Amino acid sequence: MLNLDYINELNEKQKEAVFYLDGPLLIVAGAGSGKTKVLTSRIAHIINNNKAFPNQIMAVTFTNKAASEMKDRVSKILKKKAIGLSWLGTFHSICAKLLRKHAQAVGLNYNFTIIDQDDQIRLIKNICKSENVDTKKISPKFILSTIDKWKNNGWYPDDVILKKKDVLEKGFLNIYKIYQNKLIDLNTCDFSDLILHCVKIFEKNDDIVEMYSKNFKFILVDEYQDTNSIQSKWLNYLAKFNKNICCVGDDDQSIYSWRGAEIKNFLEFDKIYENTKIIRLEKNYRSTQNILSVASKLISHNENRVGKNLYTNGEEGELVSLNCYRNGKDEAVGVGDQIEDVKEKVSYNNIAILVRAIFQTREFEERFLKIGIPYRIIGGTKFYERAEIKDCVAYLRIIYQKKDDLSFERILNVPKRSIGDTTLKLINETAKKNITNLEDASRFLLENNKIKPKTKIGLSNLLNLLLKWRNDLNIKKINHVKLLQLILDESGYSQMLKNKKDLENENRLENIKELLNAMKEFDNLESFLDHVSLATSLDQNWENQKVNLMTIHASKGLEFDVVFLPGWEEGLFPHQKSIEEKGEKGLEEERRLAYVGITRSKQIANISFSMNRFYQGDWIDSMSSRFIDELPDKNIKKNNLFSEDEEQDFEFNQDIDFENNEVRSPGWIRYQRKIKK
């Protein structure tokens, strides 16, 4: 029996979006406005009204989870299993299906395989080896990210045009050529190829384009603001004949430019598709009005947006809290206290702390461990369990106590010292035979010329450094923070991370800087190492209820009753790197990120910043984020650390003209006043 309840459950704008079936449609769906309900209802409506057979509908998502959820919801509406929706899936799954049918057009057989990232990196490494490219200086991951960037732009090797200054990319292009030829030889492709190959087939075969574009009477695309250049081009071909393409998304939540997402696809949709109808879903079913008002006011400062105003028929709710703290440690204490205040009313699972950068979780982890608040890291690893942190701690442990064989094993070949498993096995056997530790066993083997010449150099250097660092600690009385800095420099660990230029290693360097900050809080190496041991073993018996810690990027698509947004300071949020690399575009994306963070909250939102941060071993004056000055006063409440002078500062307009057209916040102005005194 046909279920018509889904129509009655829609608001007027949602109904309009479901019923409009006569041409290109852009649905601007604000946060919490029910976009998934609209998409699934639209599919069901098309089928119910015999506008198309299920196999004539293509619905595209970004994740398998979203595709599965969409299919389940359609089934519930139809009151039967949604069979025949064979073209409902991710970009990659649909492209793989198309490519199987036309593989020969790009030099592949129909039974081609698809390689994952591990296989890609292994292949890149082999190519680098054959081309005498030093992977210690240039990360294969970094090379691969550049190749993916080219593919996302729709470029085969011959399509890439290099700028004169791109000396590094010139070498990458040669690797790309070899890499792509190797994929064809192996009858395989990577995930980026799936779309790239399909577009190239469409470009050269009008008959294939005509066949598919006539078949797909309706095309629906979820999270359209996250599409890249090649995905947009692919959709253009498939919508060529019927032009019934419906794209749903929110330009104010476009936060993935670093992954290749092009917000212009969304902003210029009506230019790409003539006679586009635009429908705005502005009624929010998630957050209180105060939260929505704060988010809307903030995002209104972006110029490049379609524009909308979120509202709710629900309650006004609590004012958004804006808290100023003396330092990062006080901020963690304050957040912990607020969690204690609400935990009787709200479960830990419905509380989230959303940070701009993952290193920020450390102070909160430290505080939660101390007061017994259970927590989980979403999309990441707990601070003291991160590989680079464990490496640093292992170096410190083996210096403090040379019998720590586990630490010795961990640092033996990190960074690379040409010490392989065979040598490690020999060291272990010698230690067992002589009833001694691994370090002494290594010295014994060196003294008796039992180590191969190439390995001998690396092992000897390490052992000499261990002696030197123990002397620094015990004789020269160098403090533990300075000691770790020496270890990182003299071992080559810092250089190893700096050489591998990718986002992952940048984050690792930030985490190590945060570790140095943490160490400053302890009087000596012993007390710090004791703290680490406790920190990594305290939460073994915690129940499933846990506070969620994650980056704002990782929070996209999630919602929580209570949300904390700490670290709203210039340089951190908006992030300095984003502004330096992308200018105004970078600033607008950072503001969109702030918007995403605020709109994750259903009931209570807390924004905070600190006046001082402990950074790289020193206290620095923090500058409140320019975003704070853009929040509406009537919808926020400030804590008692805002002095009268600070209250006045917050009334300043941030848009102050400078000779170089820079925009500065009142926080920056306060800082300048201070340093000029």
Side-chain angles (χ1 to χ4, degrees), residues 659-674:
E659 290 182 1
N660 58 356
N661 294 320
E662 290 181 305
V663 174
R664 300 298 187 185
S665 69
W668 185 90
I669 296 168
R670 291 196 298 275
Y671 180 68
Q672 292 302 307
R673 289 178 187 153
K674 188 171 182 177

Side-chain angles (χ1 to χ4, degrees), residues 572-583:
L572 181 55
F573 199 25
H575 203 282
Q576 191 63 33
K577 185 182 176 185
S578 185
I579 296 174
E580 287 176 354
E581 291 183 353
K582 301 174 187 174

